[in-house]
Amino acid sequence: VVHTADAVKIEFATGQVVDADVVASDPISDLALLRLSEAVSGIEPAILADSDHTAVGEDVFVVGAPYGFSHSLTVGYVSGRHVDTLDDLGSAKIEVLQTDAAINEGNSGGPMFNMDGEVVGIVSYIYTQSGGFEGLGFVIASNTVREVLFEHPGVWTGMTGIVVDGPIAKAFNLPQDAGFLVQKIATGSPADRLGLRAGRLPATILDRPILLGGDVILSIDGIPMTPTRIPAIREHLSSIDESDGISVVVFRDGRRVRLEARR
């Protein structure tokens, strides 16, 4: 939700609304870390639990805003534990807790607590055949949250996209076997400052909605954008300093274009 947002505002139970910046965002694990523009009085931070100690059958409760009903609470149990693959490449292994606590549209991103009031996970998605909740909700375990957002935070690019390879790469006339088709870009984000172009033409390819017309990233700092090299690119982006420059080669209007900027 916030990865390509042009502006983010946080509303508290007191009614106070505060601007926030994205500090870290990982669309694959469906997690983001925000920083408030100012301190908020009367707010107690929640404790992030050790999810390794969360057992199947344990009582839990979820707080969120399903269908806009703010600060709603639902209760249930931890129904299972899974190591899930949340990207098409199979490269991201995420610990997920399953729950039968009711989760609906608007709960995503909200906390799931244990009976000690500690956060054991962040609500991510449901499995459903009807479109509504059917007792199969899934949250990203708190230890994964800690690792992804605090211990090894990735770089917020402010950009979403999809890998194009195989026949689709040939249909795009790419000069290499694969690339990363840019979809959306947040205003003022690193991707925006670099000069990348977002998609603008809605289309459907292989039953998948897609935006055409944007740049296709071919390489970042000399690392080719291929499915097998994406983990290396993520690691590289996380390792460079704020003062380091970055060089991105894109396929734009039928030719290679090099974009360079400071992060």
Side-chain angles (χ1 to χ4, degrees), residues 132-245:
F133 183 68
E134 297 176 354
L136 293 169
F138 299 89
V139 306
I140 308 301
S142 56
N143 282 357
T144 294
V145 176
R146 182 179 290 106
E147 178 180 359
V148 170
L149 296 183
F150 295 97
E151 295 177 354
H152 304 288
V155 174
W156 177 61
T157 61
M159 171 187 67
T160 59
I162 59 172
V163 174
V164 290
D165 58 3
I168 299 179
K170 291 181 180 179
F172 276 84
N173 291 319
L174 294 186
Q176 61 187 49
D177 293 336
F180 188 78
L181 176 62
V182 178
Q183 296 292 277
K184 297 180 180 180
I185 294 176
T187 301
S189 66
D192 185 34
R193 296 195 301 270
L194 185 61
L196 286 167
R197 294 181 181 177
R200 59 188 182 276
L201 303 173
T204 301
I205 297 179
L206 299 178
D207 296 324
R208 181 176 185 176
I210 193 173
L211 291 174
L212 301 177
D215 288 333
V216 181
I217 299 176
L218 301 178
S219 67
I220 297 178
D221 284 343
I223 306 174
M225 183 64 77
T226 62
T228 58
R229 301 302 302 275
I230 285 181
I233 289 176
R234 291 182 185 137
E235 184 177 351
H236 170 71
L237 291 176
S238 298
S239 67
I240 59 180
D241 295 328
E242 292 290 336
S243 59
D244 290 338

